[in-house]
Amino acid sequence: PNPTRKSLVIRMNYITLIAQKFLSGRKGPGKFTGIISMIGMAVGSFAMIVSLAVMNGFESRVSDRLRGFDGDIRILGKIDSKIVEQIQSLNNVQSVMPFIERKGIISSQDGQEVIVYKAMDLEKMHDVYDIYFEKELEAGSGIFVGKALAYRMGFSLGDPVELMSPLDMSFTLGLPPKIKKEITGTFQSQVLDYDEQIVFIPIEIGQKLFKRIKGYTGIDIRAKSGQDIERLSKSISNVIGENFRVLTWKEQHSTLVQAMALERFLAIIILSLIIVVAGFNLASTLSLVTIQKIHEIGILQAIGTPKKALRDILIRQGFILGGKGTLFGILAGIILVGIQRKMGIIPLPSDIYFIDKLPMELSLWNLLVIPIISFGIIYIASFIASRKASEIDPKTALTWNK
């Protein structure tokens, strides 16, 4: 074997051996503070794992709801059937839904409400959207309103309502187009204000109601499974030209996506403070160990142990203490996440949230960033304590009276 490599292994072994001997010989306050340091590291790592898993879970559910309601990609502009055929012919596109979107008024005997109409082929809605309806679609038979809007307006299934489009008002008669239809069903997305604002109507009704619109105002696109949405969006832009806006679901809801990312970042910073406090405790523990083992440190210095080796011994002690707590906390967090995903032991009130159990998801990035933060704080705390130990005078150490 390489002599240099062999000497490095021997050096690492004796540093680890001395570090373990120092820790096993702890007593009194040094042992107690060491246990507190381990618990602090474990609690901090556990809290970060669980918090990030919960935030990832909610973000994933919200993202699925947004994609289920808006599709993966949306095209906005004056769209005709030729553009629809071009998009549908792309290899990575699974299905498309051309629509007409227009602000209008829905009224009944109990009042009026300004809403957004979305006219489309209701028979093919499920090809693009993943929306929960309380009643199965019946193509062309009526309209679909959000459950929140139905509750506020007092709508029930089968109730007649009047649809109006003031933006398409005739200048000659001075009256907006009106169409009477029955409520065929209600839907529930529980995301943003869709349940209060959106009303789905058949495309035939939309074409009669919106007299000033020719063709479609947009297309919602569902990409094939596993496709890169950003790349597909750029491909669509190249195909249809610059006269149209092509937006991914993240770009449509950029404010919400950025807010969720900022929330996750701030959560990591705040929860890292638990580990920082445990790091201070770890530094004090190593300082106490240094005082308790000052004679041994003096002997090591007397036999020629370099200062770097002494620092490495203290740093190794820090990683042994803090590392155990960190790994235990991460392991406990992963176990809890796994149990929650399989068994759902932590429920949520389904009348408040759109799910009935606490969602938890972990990514590889989470499992990397938490140990990096924890071991980084451990190293800083251990390095601070080790510098003090390496500066002890050998003569003072050997004559020290405990």
Side-chain angles (χ1 to χ4, degrees):
N2 189 332
T4 304
R5 182 180 177 185
K6 184 176 181 181
S7 61
L8 179 62
V9 172
I10 293 172
R11 181 177 180 275
M12 292 178 64
N13 287 338
Y14 92 79
I15 287 175
T16 302
L17 179 62
I18 295 173
Q20 290 175 340
K21 288 290 184 181
F22 279 10
L23 290 176
S24 62
R26 289 175 300 152
K27 55 184 178 181
K31 187 172 184 178
F32 176 75
T33 56
I35 294 173
I36 296 300
S37 300
M38 291 176 59
I39 293 174
M41 288 292 177
V43 169
S45 301
F46 177 81
M48 290 183 72
I49 282 284
V50 173
S51 298
L52 288 179
V54 171
M55 294 179 72
N56 290 342
F58 273 110
E59 287 181 19
S60 176
R61 299 302 185 277
V62 170
S63 299
D64 290 343
R65 289 294 176 114
L66 291 174
R67 294 176 65 185
F69 208 97
D70 295 328
D72 296 318
I73 299 172
R74 174 168 292 181
I75 303 174
L76 298 175
K78 294 181 179 179
I79 296 169
D80 54 25
S81 57
K82 183 180 178 181
I83 296 294
V84 176
E85 292 175 0
Q86 281 183 306
I87 302 302
Q88 184 68 71
S89 64
L90 295 177
N91 292 330
N92 296 328
V93 172
Q94 177 176 308
S95 54
V96 300
M97 177 58 69
F99 62 86
I100 304 174
E101 195 169 83
R102 189 80 155 168
K103 277 194 173 183
I105 296 175
I106 186 170
S107 63
S108 66
Q109 295 179 350
D110 297 325
Q112 296 180 339
E113 191 75 23
V114 177
I115 46 83
V116 175
Y117 292 115
K118 198 164 184 179
M120 60 182 65
D121 186 349
L122 299 182
E123 284 188 315
K124 299 180 180 179
M125 280 189 67
H126 292 305
D127 294 343
V128 176
Y129 307 112
D130 183 15
I131 304 173
Y132 171 72
F133 287 89
E134 289 194 342
K135 187 177 180 181
E136 289 297 323
L137 295 176
E138 297 177 8
S141 63
I143 66 171
F144 295 84
V145 300
K147 190 174 181 180
L149 178 63
Y151 178 80
R152 190 170 69 246
M153 297 290 293
F155 293 154
S156 298
L157 294 180
D159 286 353
V161 293
E162 192 172 57
L163 314 179
M164 292 185 289
S165 179
L167 296 176
D168 298 279
M169 183 182 299
S170 172
F171 289 110
T172 54
L173 299 178
L175 296 174
K178 296 180 181 180
I179 294 179
K180 287 187 177 181
K181 276 292 177 179
E182 294 181 350
I183 295 178
T184 303
T186 60
F187 62 87
Q188 188 173 17
S189 66
Q190 290 184 310
V191 62
L192 300 179
D193 59 352
Y194 287 162
D195 296 347
E196 299 180 358
Q197 292 293 322
I198 304 296
V199 173
F200 290 104
I201 62 176
I203 188 65
E204 298 82 6
I205 295 178
Q207 289 170 342
K208 293 178 182 178
L209 198 60
F210 313 132
K211 297 183 180 298
R212 295 188 180 182
I213 296 178
K214 304 299 180 182
Y216 304 101
T217 61
I219 304 175
D220 283 338
I221 300 171
R222 175 66 61 190
K224 291 182 179 178
S225 178
Q227 295 300 318
D228 186 337
I229 304 300
E230 302 291 339
R231 183 178 297 178
L232 178 57
S233 175
K234 292 179 181 178
S235 299
I236 292 173
S237 297
N238 294 333
V239 169
I240 63 177
E242 299 179 353
N243 295 327
F244 301 92
R245 292 182 64 197
V246 181
L247 303 171
T248 65
W249 70 270
K250 288 185 178 180
E251 292 170 334
Q252 294 178 59
H253 306 284
S254 58
T255 302
L256 177 61
V257 172
Q258 291 171 5
M260 292 191 295
L262 179 60
E263 184 182 19
R264 183 170 57 248
F265 175 75
L266 292 177
I268 293 174
I269 297 298
I270 294 172
L271 292 173
S272 295
L273 296 178
I274 301 175
I275 303 177
V276 171
V277 174
F280 284 124
N281 200 3
L282 178 62
S284 65
T285 298
L286 295 178
S287 298
L288 285 173
V289 172
T290 300
I291 294 173
Q292 291 176 346
K293 300 296 181 181
I294 193 167
H295 273 291
E296 288 81 352
I297 291 174
I299 293 171
L300 289 172
Q301 289 177 318
I303 63 175
T305 303
K307 289 185 178 182
K308 187 178 185 306
L310 291 175
R311 289 197 297 268
D312 289 344
I313 290 172
L314 266 293
I315 292 174
R316 192 66 52 85
Q317 290 180 69
F319 276 100
I320 292 173
L321 279 176
K324 287 180 180 179
T326 297
L327 294 178
F328 179 79
I330 291 174
L331 181 61
I334 292 174
I335 291 174
L336 177 61
V337 171
I339 293 174
Q340 175 65 16
R341 285 175 60 84
K342 287 189 174 294
M343 303 177 62
I345 59 175
I346 306 176
L348 289 176
S350 57
D351 56 337
I352 298 176
Y353 299 94
F354 52 83
I355 45 179
D356 57 1
K357 63 180 181 180
L358 188 67
M360 288 189 176
E361 291 184 12
L362 281 175
S363 65
L364 179 61
W365 178 83
N366 299 145
L367 298 178
L368 288 176
V369 71
I370 295 174
I372 289 172
I373 293 173
S374 298
F375 286 117
I377 295 173
I378 290 170
Y379 178 79
I380 293 172
S382 304
F383 182 77
I384 293 172
S386 68
R387 288 189 62 184
K388 297 294 182 182
S390 64
E391 293 172 359
I392 296 175
D393 180 64
K395 183 178 179 180
T396 303
L398 292 170
T399 58
W400 180 273
N401 290 321
K402 300 181 189 178

